[in-house]
Amino acid sequence: MMTPMEWRWRPSSGNVTFLLLVIIISPLLANSWTNIGVQSSISYRSYRRSMQHMHLHSTGKHQFENESANNNQPNTRLLVFGLGNIGTLVAKIAATHLSSNSTPSFDRVYGTTRSGKEIENVHTVQFDSYEDIRDVISSCTHILTTIPPIEAENATNTTFIGEQPRNWSHFCDPVLNNPSLRLHEIAKPNTWIGYVSSTSVYGNHDGNWVNEDSDIKCDPTSKGALYLRAENEWIDAANSGGWKMNVFRCAGLYGDGRSALHTIRKRGVQHEKNKTSNMKIGNPTSRIHEKDAARAILSAMLISDETGGDTSCKRYNLADDNPTPRHEVMAFGHELLDDSNLLPSETPKPSSRRRPSEREKRRKTDKKRVENKRMKESLLPEGLLYPTYREGLKAVLDINKEKWR
């Protein structure tokens, strides 16, 4: 037997044939693998998009499993100004991948709070910690603000810096116009900016349908007019800063923590009967479950990743498919609670002398049906989780049933 040093390759008919085959097919193999690699890089974007839509569609039901992230993707970071109901939902859904195997949308999610609120996998920052927020802004690719605008005459005593009240000469949006944040200077070009506005900007349309291009008829002294002013200020700032701007005009938001069911249980059955009997029958109002609103907003962020440098402002109405008079919604809520033996006492509670809110006044004066075609076609082509108040209230009841027993 030969030692390794004595071994030499000796040609044979089999070896020669093998060498010829390698020489012939190697270029073909290389070209095939190159084509496969190119095709993979082209298709990954659409694959990631489809996976993200699956993730958004599954929110509130179940999550798809075992989708791994592509670590070579650029960092995407989200900052949510205002962790109220809708802000919290957006932040939670955006951060879901951090504790699961789902396809990621963001590498890190931040949110501002005044109360010290904590959310799993969301890095919370106190709203008045301006230096910390400025550092966050400079690193974020997406910024969503859910904080409502404030009238100039009410701005001075709204919040405090240290122990001193704010004293600004011009004030509408507490994020954009906050001189301590300096958003104009810090947010980078091509940053996605989302502003949560209200369908109250449309005003009264005598019960007709309104879309994103409908005339603005809100009372100049109303909160709707203030929202419109804030929208325009954000759009002007986006044009100046080269940001990608989206405006979300939300109909009445309801969800697991606030709904017609909560109202009936809080105020009593008789109170609601008396209240709705005085309303004009047939005055439609539009609404949307908070989970569907959050899904639409996140979908808009993902679309912006695919449109590259498109900085044109896009407006979306966020509403469900079924504008309905409030008394019909309350009647259905009463029915749901009654069927589950969860109705409160019939004894009416003492009437309150508080002034009716502007929203309560608008129910009587601002008659309109909010169209959601653009939202459904562009943001939620797979459909709403809760197309009408009926599916939405049933889901709210399921979440709260044990707590209310």
Side-chain angles (χ1 to χ4, degrees), residues 126-405:
Q126 283 296 119
F127 183 78
D128 287 343
S129 299
Y130 296 119
E131 185 175 349
D132 293 336
I133 297 178
R134 288 196 296 269
D135 290 339
V136 171
I137 291 172
S138 64
S139 71
C140 283
T141 54
H142 299 72
I143 296 173
L144 174 71
T145 178
T146 70
I147 303 175
I150 302 174
E151 295 175 280
E153 56 266 30
N154 297 330
T156 303
N157 296 318
T158 301
T159 58
F160 291 78
I161 300 176
E163 296 182 355
Q164 299 300 315
R166 290 196 266 207
N167 186 18
W168 304 342
S169 57
H170 301 286
F171 193 91
C172 181
D173 188 89
V175 174
L176 181 64
N177 294 336
N178 189 327
S180 298
L181 290 178
R182 303 204 304 271
L183 192 77
H184 301 78
E185 304 171 19
I186 300 172
K188 298 175 182 177
N190 220 35
T191 298
W192 181 92
I193 304 286
Y195 179 69
V196 177
S197 183
S198 168
T199 55
S200 61
V201 301
Y202 294 113
N204 180 36
H205 283 255
D206 296 323
N208 294 315
W209 288 94
V210 295
N211 60 34
E212 291 82 356
D213 300 316
S214 294
D215 293 338
I216 300 299
K217 298 182 179 181
C218 58
D219 187 316
T221 63
S222 68
K223 191 65 175 286
L226 201 59
Y227 268 114
L228 183 65
R229 174 184 162 189
E231 285 183 17
N232 291 332
E233 288 183 358
W234 274 105
I235 292 169
D236 289 344
N239 290 334
S240 176
W243 306 331
K244 293 181 282 189
M245 187 73 210
N246 282 186
V247 171
F248 304 100
R249 291 173 174 170
C250 287
L253 290 164
Y254 72 98
D256 298 342
R258 54 175 178 170
S259 70
L261 304 180
H262 292 79
T263 301
I264 293 172
R265 287 184 54 81
K266 178 180 179 182
R267 297 182 181 175
V269 176
Q270 191 61 42
H271 175 88
E272 287 305 314
K273 285 182 178 179
N274 293 339
K275 190 173 181 180
T276 55
S277 65
N278 294 326
M279 296 179 64
K280 293 181 179 180
I281 303 301
N283 183 10
T285 58
S286 296
R287 58 194 54 79
I288 187 170
H289 195 290
E290 291 165 343
K291 289 180 181 176
D292 279 325
R295 291 171 59 240
I297 291 169
L298 279 161
S299 181
M301 297 182 196
L302 305 182
I303 289 175
S304 78
D305 292 341
E306 297 178 354
T307 57
D310 182 5
T311 58
S312 58
C313 176
K314 296 176 177 61
R315 292 183 177 89
Y316 298 99
N317 287 339
L318 305 189
D320 70 17
D321 296 338
N322 187 211
T324 306
R326 185 174 186 273
H327 76 275
E328 292 185 22
V329 179
M330 301 305 294
F332 182 71
H334 181 281
E335 180 184 326
L336 287 180
L337 291 171
D338 192 19
D339 290 345
S340 301
N341 296 316
L342 293 173
L343 280 176
S345 170
E346 287 284 346
T347 304
K349 296 184 177 181
S351 59
S352 172
R353 292 187 177 182
R354 71 175 180 83
R355 292 182 178 180
S357 67
E358 183 178 324
R359 183 177 180 182
E360 290 171 332
K361 293 178 182 178
R362 286 202 311 269
R363 291 193 188 113
K364 299 179 180 179
T365 59
D366 289 7
K367 303 174 185 178
K368 59 183 177 292
R369 292 174 170 86
V370 180
E371 183 181 289
N372 63 9
K373 182 179 179 181
R374 183 179 296 178
M375 174 194 73
K376 290 175 67 175
E377 289 182 351
S378 300
L379 306 182
L380 298 176
E382 62 282 292
L384 295 167
L385 295 176
Y386 312 105
T388 77
Y389 69 90
R390 291 177 174 270
E391 295 87 358
L393 289 183
K394 287 177 182 177
V396 172
L397 180 64
D398 289 342
I399 290 292
N400 290 283
K401 189 176 290 186
E402 293 304 317
K403 182 171 63 177
W404 288 345
R405 288 200 185 283

Side-chain angles (χ1 to χ4, degrees), residues 96-114:
T96 296
H97 77 274
L98 297 173
S99 58
S100 70
N101 293 323
S102 60
T103 300
S105 301
F106 299 96
D107 302 291
R108 182 165 291 194
V109 179
Y110 300 93
T112 70
T113 176
R114 298 185 189 277

